[in-house]
Amino acid sequence: MLPSVENQPPQAVGNSNNLIIWRMIMSNVVLDYRVSEFDTQQQADDYDVWFRQKVEEGLKCKTFHTHDEVMERLRQRRENTYTQIERLL
């Protein structure tokens, strides 16, 4: 069975002259809600760029906290919040 070329960019099917047109069409394609949480390919691509930037920022961060440290801090914050609520009641 031959692979589908429907959703592949033109360079994948040997026609690089139409790459811009293909990108314009694909950016407006409505994605199937059962497969994607995004309505269009453009939204999915924008999110992917944003997400990758956030991951890169996180990897550049020099501060590292272990899981146990983070959970202890969360436990302390939760305990402080409960204490403040009890004072109000």
Side-chain angles (χ1 to χ4, degrees):
M1 180 171 202
L2 294 174
S4 171
V5 294
E6 230 172 73
N7 295 324
Q8 295 179 10
Q11 68 267 21
V13 293
N15 187 359
S16 60
N17 295 333
N18 295 326
L19 180 60
I20 294 172
I21 295 170
W22 180 84
R23 285 188 176 155
M24 289 172 55
I25 291 169
M26 290 307 292
S27 68
N28 294 320
V29 169
V30 176
L31 301 177
D32 188 346
Y33 70 92
R34 295 170 292 184
V35 178
S36 176
E37 62 188 86
F38 303 101
D39 294 331
T40 65
Q41 185 63 45
Q42 183 63 44
Q43 289 175 344
D45 293 342
D46 291 345
Y47 176 80
D48 186 57
V49 169
W50 173 84
F51 183 77
R52 289 175 188 273
Q53 288 173 347
K54 291 295 181 183
V55 169
E56 287 298 320
E57 288 174 17
L59 292 174
K60 291 178 185 176
C61 182
K62 300 295 181 190
T63 307
F64 177 78
H65 300 284
T66 66
H67 174 76
D68 293 336
E69 291 171 339
V70 172
M71 294 306 291
E72 178 60 25
R73 184 173 176 197
L74 177 61
R75 187 196 62 73
Q76 289 173 354
R77 289 181 66 187
R78 187 182 308 127
E79 186 176 305
N80 290 340
T81 302
Y82 288 152
T83 303
Q84 290 175 359
I85 291 172
E86 286 176 358
R87 286 185 199 154
L88 294 174
L89 297 177

